[in-house]
Amino acid sequence: MKTGTSRPSTALETAGLGHRYRQTWALRDCALHIPAGRVAALVGPNGAGKSTLLHIVVGLLTPTTGNVDVLGEPVGQQAAALSRVAFMAQDKPLYEGFTVADILRFGRHLNPQWDNGLAENRLNALGIALKSKVGKLSGGQQAQVALTAAIAKRPHLIVLDEPLANLDPLARNEVMRSLMTEVAETEITVLLSSHVVSDLEDTCDWLILLNGGRVQLCGDIEELLSSHRMISGPVELADRLLEEVQVIDQSRTARQLTCVARIQTSEPVLHPDWSISAVNLEQLVLAYLRRPNVGVLPHPNLASA
Amino acid sequence: MLWVTWRQHRTPVLLTAGLLLVLGTILLVHGLLTADFIRDRASAGCPGTGPDCLAFEQEVRLRYQQIYQLIGWLPVAPALIGAFWGAPLLAKEFEHGTHKFAWTQSVPRRRWLTVKFGLLGLTTVLSGLALGGMTTAWLSTFRGTGLGDAFGDKGLFAVAGVVPGAWWLFSFALGVAAGATIRRTLPAMAVTLAVFAVSLFGVFAARPFYAAPQRAVQVSAEVSPLPADAILMKDVWLTTSGQEVSRATMVNAIADACRAVSASVKYYQCAFEEGYTQVVYFHPSTKFWQFQWTETGILVLISLVLGVLAFVSALRRRI
């Protein structure tokens, strides 16, 4: 995985990852990877196992089966492994009685690579006073403090569990923008979960679709979009269409068939009665979520198919 | 971790230190004034049989009672340590989700738990020992007055000597274990208080069994075989044939002979003359330190078990 002294090109890789709570498997046989420097979206319905997966990646949970590597090294409860990954949990928990300065001091005492200057500059730019009590800040400001603490840790991988939940649209935009600024300036890899796909379209370039505890899709968003089409046309021609493309999800009326399909070549040559259009991320995700048994592929390397 | 532990727990620690300081000051001032008072009267031959000694004894007793009212409550003080230091330690983190923040910094959870348990555990032990030292010093001013029996008095025993350190540690560990397993602050505090109360009475009841009691036989009707400040386990009566019988049996047996006697001293004399001698099983006050260390050992052992339970529970339980 490692080539010389340079960073491995894979930021996160899991193999055979599974987690069981008593009798039920929250995650099963998950194989996924994120290339270094990507902003990856972990998408799936509620209860798909997103938080479980993220908790395993950051070392809070020990998986029942399989393993997780961050930059080629296993994650877990060792100081070195913990220092490589930063985490912002759902609801952005922080000590409410602490001042913002206390939070920074907390981070400085517990992290060897802590960058206090970075943290202070960020908060300064955001207009958050160091002496304010965390509990008195707005939801958006608390999210910014939590994000600052995660970034100032100087991790290779930053993991955010539903970072935009419970934030108003303005705060969502600001949190996302400040995260993207940070990503642009460093080589940091981001993994963030959300069940609102529209929040991710502009910011993420890698998609992991988790459904019922299994990885349904894992790949570059542009590649995924370019290899799928929205196709609609007369329902009588449906049989012939099915021979030519892999239909992921379809809906039929008496006369019309509309489907999201995976295509083999750059532009399929179909009967002229079919109208073909591009899919957006939301349509793609919905199509797969409706068909949980389709596309459970570890690496859908579509270009080579 | 040192600063982190201090920052997160400074409020209860400072509050406890403040209360101990206030208590210590009260005991010190009171002890010094009482010592002066006793020294002043020593020239008049008190305590003793001198003419003014009755008033002296009353005054000393009054002074003792003033503080005893306060100290009498201190055996339950560790319950507050369990509820306010111990129970929130993990429960508050779980309740607010902040454990996800704390345990994803670069300090492994094992180390985080070890440092917090260790530092706060040590602080509770030192606070408990400080309390024990203060109480013991204050009690020593009443030496020779027949007051301040830290061996026979169940409550005083728990706040004198080294045992308070163990009691404070035990309560802290109990609170931490309750918080780690229940994961909610208020229920954990309630369970801590309830279990502590049961434990306190349990240990009070178990204390006489720390050692085999000594046996003493009455030699004359006027002198009780029980030494001062001893813990009485049971008293029985010895017949002339050397058989131990209960008080009820003895009362029945001499019912006819001693019927006319009403005053208790004379009644015992009558019993003695009838051939019954009193036998007592007891712990002499010289066993004070043996009992202190036994109780300390038991409580420290339970504390360690609770600590391991909390540790394992915090490591294993789902996030």
Side-chain angles (χ1 to χ4, degrees), chain A residues 97-109:
Chain A
F98 276 29
T99 61
V100 176
D102 285 336
I103 295 283
L104 298 193
R105 205 165 165 193
F106 184 89
R108 196 166 74 227
H109 278 278

Side-chain angles (χ1 to χ4, degrees), chain A residues 21 55 58-61 77-79 82-83 87 89 93-95 97-98 102 105-106 109-112 153, chain B residues 1 3-4 7-8 10 93 96-110 112 317-319:
Chain A
Y21 293 115
H55 286 158
V58 300
L60 278 175
L61 274 181
Q77 284 293 322
Q78 295 82 38
L82 287 167
S83 71
F87 182 49
L94 291 172
Y95 296 108
F98 276 29
D102 285 336
R105 205 165 165 193
F106 184 89
H109 278 278
L110 299 184
N111 298 287
K153 192 181 173 183
Chain B
M1 275 308 293
W3 178 83
V4 169
R7 177 62 190 85
Q8 283 192 277
R10 62 188 185 187
E93 301 267 359
H96 295 271
T98 44
H99 63 297
K100 293 183 190 172
F101 178 59
W103 294 347
T104 49
Q105 307 302 314
S106 306
V107 170
R109 206 183 305 179
R110 209 170 267 281
W112 191 94
R317 286 286 287 265
R318 63 178 283 188
I319 292 300

Side-chain angles (χ1 to χ4, degrees), chain B residues 218 221 237 247 263-273 278:
Chain B
Q218 189 180 26
W237 293 78
R247 167 180 287 266
S264 68
V265 177
K266 284 190 176 164
Y267 184 83
Y268 284 116
Q269 203 149 15
C270 178
F272 197 71
E273 281 157 11
Q278 197 181 6

Side-chain angles (χ1 to χ4, degrees), chain B residues 181-254:
Chain B
T181 46
I182 299 168
R183 300 164 74 91
R184 297 192 49 78
T185 310
L186 275 177
M189 286 168 89
V191 167
T192 304
L193 292 176
V195 175
F196 181 84
V198 171
S199 310
L200 192 65
F201 288 112
V203 169
F204 280 4
R207 201 176 279 157
F209 302 99
Y210 290 169
Q214 291 185 8
R215 182 177 185 267
V217 181
Q218 189 180 26
V219 288
S220 80
E222 290 80 22
V223 182
S224 165
L226 190 67
D229 294 349
I231 298 174
L232 177 66
M233 293 287 288
K234 67 174 179 179
D235 65 329
V236 290
W237 293 78
L238 204 61
T239 63
T240 38
S241 60
Q243 196 189 354
E244 283 185 2
V245 296
S246 72
R247 167 180 287 266
T249 314
M250 182 274 292
V251 168
N252 268 333
I254 62 167

Side-chain angles (χ1 to χ4, degrees), chain B residues 110-187:
Chain B
R110 209 170 267 281
R111 178 141 176 269
W112 191 94
L113 293 169
T114 310
V115 172
K116 281 214 171 187
F117 287 13
L119 281 178
L120 291 171
L122 186 68
T123 313
T124 51
V125 170
L126 292 177
S127 310
L129 289 177
L131 174 70
M134 281 158 20
T135 323
T136 309
W138 177 77
L139 284 172
S140 71
T141 53
F142 291 91
R143 197 175 292 143
T145 62
L147 296 166
D149 164 25
F151 186 57
D153 188 308
K154 287 184 165 75
L156 280 187
F157 183 86
V159 293
V162 293
V163 129
W167 271 109
W168 284 45
L169 179 68
F170 162 72
S171 182
F172 171 69
L174 178 66
V176 173
T181 46
I182 299 168
R183 300 164 74 91
R184 297 192 49 78
T185 310
L186 275 177

